[in-house]
Amino acid sequence: MTEDHFDVVVVGGGPAGATAAEELARKGHKVALLDRAGRIKPCGGAVPPRLIHDFDIPDSQIVARIKTARMISPTGRRVDIPIENGYVGMVDREHFDEFLRDRAAKAGATRLTGTFIRIERYGMGPHVLYRDKATGETRRLMTKLVIGADGARSDVARAEVPGGDTIPYVIAYHEIIEAPAAFADYDPDRCDVIYDGAISPDFYGWVFPHGAQASVGMGTGQDGVDLKQATADLRVASGLADCKTIRREGAPIPLKPLDKWDNGQDVLLAGDAAGVVAPSSGEGIYYAMIGGQVAAQAAASCLATGRARDLARARKVFLKEHGQVFRVLGAMQNAYYRSDDRRERFVSLCHDIDVQRLTFEAYMNKKLVKARPLAHLKIGVKNVAHLTGLVAATRV
């Protein structure tokens, strides 16, 4: 059995793991990035301008620029929300994730392709065992720290971090199709979000353009839902049934950050493994990359000081910046996703210009907007009115 020595082994090469590996490598640490080849996470692919700017994403990775978001209610009502002063970028995870992994390698990280087996401890630190994809050989990596960025059903989290085996999640499924020419129900510059219990009883469906391709899918946390049939129904309803299917993908998406992201010793979680996907929207790429960044910073601090408690800084820093957004979005999901009547009212609320502006300002900048308190007050009053049934859902 071969053995190599590293400061940090990052398990999982998605946006969180690749970002963590790149950051640590740029700090001069010896880093291994272990990833399973061939897996592409089902994802709408939306990234806000702040991610593009903060993480220096080149134009070549942006396959579409979305200028409008369309909300579609259970009764088929459509609310188009223009994206003012910018756009939402779309990436293709097949190429975007590989770009991030390659960038980490260029920064100095050692890329390894294989399947994580377990962590063993003896001697001076943890040993990561994995099965090499090319040879089938079991290999051992000696390291000081491990960052688990291996998804919502993280093997690292389940084995090493308290509560890591109980994370709540929805199952997402999508089909990548050849995009048609623009027509009444499909606009290459518009994302459609479908709030309809016939497609998803507790989440939503989507049609997201990816340039020459498009992602069509849905998510649910309920057992017994036929995800493939729901997606087929969505394609029919969207006029996309005859488009060529390129690939099909499914995976869990976490709904709540874990209470602990580290084991108090030598393991730290990042991205989906830590549960950092935004409630209500399911947005995960930006938060995964921020999660990878703060995990790298906490790991670097731990390596410098020798204090295992420094690993807990990752969660503290992340939630200080984004915890309020997660709480608000979680409350929104709990309030509006429970029934078609609630979903109808939610789409009706989206007619409001204050809701539209504040929603997208918060999305683009990744923080709750506090500049217009009167608008927040108006939204709060309307929100209560819709939830209590004091007003009827607007029919358009």
Side-chain angles (χ1 to χ4, degrees), residues 51-314:
L51 179 151
I52 297 169
H53 176 268
D54 288 358
F55 292 98
D56 195 23
I57 304 302
D59 285 348
S60 60
Q61 290 298 317
I62 307 303
V63 296
R65 288 169 170 78
I66 301 303
K67 301 297 181 64
T68 305
R70 170 172 287 183
M71 309 298 178
I72 303 175
S73 78
T75 62
R77 181 171 2 101
R78 291 162 166 76
V79 177
D80 285 5
I81 304 177
I83 300 170
E84 299 178 350
N85 304 316
Y87 64 90
V88 173
M90 305 301 293
V91 298
D92 186 331
R93 292 292 296 272
E94 179 181 12
H95 305 294
F96 182 70
D97 289 16
E98 178 58 23
F99 162 77
L100 295 178
R101 289 189 289 266
D102 182 61
R103 189 163 71 174
K106 289 176 179 177
T110 299
R111 286 188 62 176
L112 301 170
T113 303
T115 303
F116 170 81
I117 299 173
R118 64 181 178 274
I119 296 173
E120 295 181 348
R121 289 179 177 83
Y122 51 86
M124 297 299 293
H127 298 244
V128 174
L129 273 66
Y130 76 99
R131 184 169 294 104
D132 182 76
K133 180 177 175 62
T135 67
E137 177 187 6
T138 296
R139 295 186 176 179
R140 184 185 302 272
L141 307 173
M142 184 175 179
T143 186
K144 299 172 184 176
L145 297 174
V146 178
I147 294 178
D150 51 334
R153 288 175 173 167
S154 164
D155 290 328
V156 175
R158 284 186 287 179
E160 297 289 335
V161 177
D165 58 345
T166 59
I167 188 169
Y169 57 83
V170 299
I171 297 295
Y173 172 82
H174 79 162
E175 297 177 357
I176 296 295
I177 64 172
E178 286 188 356
F183 66 101
D185 288 329
Y186 181 82
D187 183 338
D189 297 325
R190 186 189 71 222
C191 282
D192 291 355
V193 185
I194 299 91
Y195 297 100
D196 185 350
I199 300 300
S200 171
D202 57 334
F203 206 56
Y204 62 82
W206 67 82
V207 177
F208 286 0
H210 286 185
Q213 302 175 356
S215 165
V216 185
M218 51 79 67
T220 180
Q222 292 190 11
D223 295 332
V225 176
D226 189 332
L227 283 76
K228 293 182 178 180
Q229 184 59 54
T231 301
D233 293 342
L234 176 56
R235 288 181 62 169
V236 170
S238 304
L240 302 172
D242 295 331
C243 295
K244 180 181 177 181
T245 301
I246 297 171
R247 65 178 190 265
R248 298 176 173 87
E249 298 151 356
I253 297 178
L255 292 176
K256 182 178 181 293
L258 290 176
D259 293 334
K260 281 185 67 65
W261 293 5
D262 68 281
N263 68 348
Q265 182 181 0
D266 50 25
V267 173
L268 175 62
L269 304 178
D272 283 11
V276 291
V277 171
S280 179
S281 69
E283 182 195 358
I285 299 176
Y286 172 78
Y287 294 113
M289 294 181 73
I290 289 294
Q293 187 177 67
V294 297
Q297 292 166 355
S301 177
C302 179
L303 290 170
T305 66
R307 296 191 302 254
R309 66 176 181 270
D310 287 359
L311 297 177
R313 290 183 180 180

Side-chain angles (χ1 to χ4, degrees), residues 68-69 71 81-84 88 354-366 369:
T68 305
M71 309 298 178
I81 304 177
I83 300 170
E84 299 178 350
V88 173
D354 289 319
V355 172
Q356 295 180 12
R357 286 176 176 171
L358 290 177
T359 296
F360 274 99
E361 285 178 19
Y363 175 80
M364 306 285 256
N365 298 306
K366 289 299 159 217
V369 181

